[in-house]
Amino acid sequence: MPELPETEVILDHLRKKILGSTISGLRIERKDIIRTGLSSWPWYIGSQIRDISRNGKSIVLSCAKGSKTRYLLAELGMTGLFLFPGSTLGRTKHIHIAITLEHAPVSHLYYWNPRRFGRVYLFDRQHLDQFLQRRFGVDPFAMTHEAFCLTIGQSRGRVKALLLNQHKIAGIGNIYANEILYRAGIHPHAKGCRLSKASLMRLYHSTQTVLREAIAHGGSTIRDFCAPDGTSGRFQEHHAVYQKTATPCPRGCATTIQRLIRERSSFFCPRCQKRN
Ligand SMILES: [Zn+2]
């Protein structure tokens, strides 16, 4: 959390408000948040934000100055947010980075994180490429069903762990892994290689539809998530299983949702979700 849908919502706001703007100031309150390239940050002042993209759950700002482009990659971790002025109320304490902007409808972009899991990297192109290659698998929206079914179906690992493995498929976290598996009718502990072709196809389609529905609803607000303008997500109102322990299965199978605690919490219907 934020997972792929929330990151996509943030991206949409950033593109509308800060794409094409110029960075006129950069204040770093907590230097340990910058994991790479701290000494290069003065370079970013005067650069223009030319592109904003997403890899898994991380956001990349491409900043251009003259013929050179450098990159700011932000991982939001469990609790991180990008905020515009006006949505920082009650959050000023944990603003670690403040970017002052010119030629934009918002004067600042803030990187806020009450915990230390967030990380920011300042990269040149070569180091960005190396980092992305090492860190992230394929984006689920960029995966064909053949590639998806091979990735899951050729592994002896548990299907939920496979969905969560960022090196294989980038962007799915615990909320959406639970919702996707429920939608597909697959048990979280099912082994990838034991799934039938039909189950793998259902899993592929559930992945696409759950993530797209979540984006359309502005993501899920569990704890603190909001878009940069302060808007909360609404997809949590449509969760079928996540944090729904002991509530009736929405399919009406007369069973209640159970919780399994191993690694991350799994929420599932023991009747509707099968192991093959
Ligand atoms: Zn059920």
Side-chain angles (χ1 to χ4, degrees):
M1 180 87 230
E3 301 183 22
L4 184 155
E6 291 75 32
T7 312
E8 193 68 33
V9 169
I10 294 169
L11 200 66
D12 185 49
H13 282 255
L14 296 185
R15 282 183 175 146
K16 282 178 183 149
K17 291 286 166 74
I18 70 162
L19 190 61
S21 66
T22 301
I23 295 176
S24 60
L26 187 57
R27 202 177 75 239
I28 298 172
E29 297 289 349
R30 272 192 68 134
K31 291 195 165 60
D32 60 345
I33 289 288
I34 310 278
R35 302 302 169 118
T36 303
L38 181 62
S39 62
S40 70
W41 73 263
W43 180 91
Y44 286 80
I45 295 167
S47 69
Q48 187 189 32
I49 301 172
R50 290 269 178 84
D51 189 38
I52 307 172
S53 57
R54 175 182 65 73
N55 289 83
K57 310 174 206 172
S58 69
I59 286 176
V60 181
L61 306 183
S62 304
C63 305
K65 193 163 113 186
S67 59
K68 210 173 165 196
T69 304
R70 292 189 61 92
Y71 304 86
L72 184 154
L73 183 147
E75 292 182 327
L76 300 169
M78 292 293 281
T79 51
L81 294 174
F82 273 120
L83 297 170
F84 297 144
S87 55
T88 56
L89 194 69
R91 294 194 176 98
T92 45
K93 195 174 163 199
H94 300 290
I95 290 174
H96 301 317
I97 298 175
I99 300 174
T100 311
L101 299 165
E102 271 174 11
H103 316 300
V106 290
S107 63
H108 290 84
L109 176 67
Y110 302 109
Y111 175 79
W112 176 85
N113 204 329
R115 295 209 225 156
R116 293 195 190 179
F117 297 123
R119 295 150 187 257
V120 172
Y121 304 83
L122 303 175
F123 283 135
D124 59 20
R125 181 81 233 178
Q126 189 193 349
H127 288 101
L128 174 73
D129 287 343
Q130 286 170 356
F131 182 85
L132 295 179
Q133 213 167 24
R134 202 169 59 233
R135 192 66 77 98
F136 299 108
V138 187
D139 197 86
F141 291 152
M143 268 179 136
T144 61
H145 65 88
E146 289 96 342
F148 182 89
C149 294
L150 275 179
T151 300
I152 303 287
Q154 288 191 331
S155 174
R156 277 187 274 184
R158 288 185 167 136
V159 64
K160 188 174 166 219
L162 295 172
L163 289 176
L164 290 175
N165 185 337
Q166 302 300 302
H167 299 292
K168 289 184 183 291
I169 303 171
I172 300 170
N174 199 35
I175 296 173
Y176 295 103
N178 280 298
E179 292 297 322
I180 287 165
L181 288 167
Y182 175 78
R183 187 84 63 102
I186 297 171
H187 193 286
H189 288 181
K191 298 230 166 107
C193 59
R194 296 275 176 82
L195 294 177
S196 67
K197 261 198 173 139
S199 295
L200 286 168
M201 279 305 282
R202 277 203 319 280
L203 186 62
Y204 172 76
H205 288 296
S206 302
T207 301
Q208 302 292 322
T209 52
V210 167
L211 295 176
R212 287 187 197 284
E213 283 173 25
I215 293 168
H217 285 90
S220 300
T221 291
I222 304 289
R223 289 188 234 111
D224 271 325
F225 173 75
C226 69
D229 66 351
T231 320
S232 293
R234 299 176 319 280
F235 193 64
Q236 68 281 3
E237 295 161 21
H238 302 272
H239 288 176
V241 289
Y242 184 74
Q243 293 185 340
K244 301 279 182 185
T245 313
T247 64
C249 168
R251 286 198 181 129
C253 72
T255 310
T256 55
I257 301 303
Q258 288 188 11
R259 179 182 184 187
L260 271 175
I261 303 174
R262 187 180 292 190
E263 298 139 24
R264 311 284 299 276
S265 291
S266 289
F267 302 89
F268 70 108
C269 172
R271 181 169 287 184
C272 295
Q273 292 179 248
K274 311 284 188 223
R275 287 180 185 259
N276 53 30

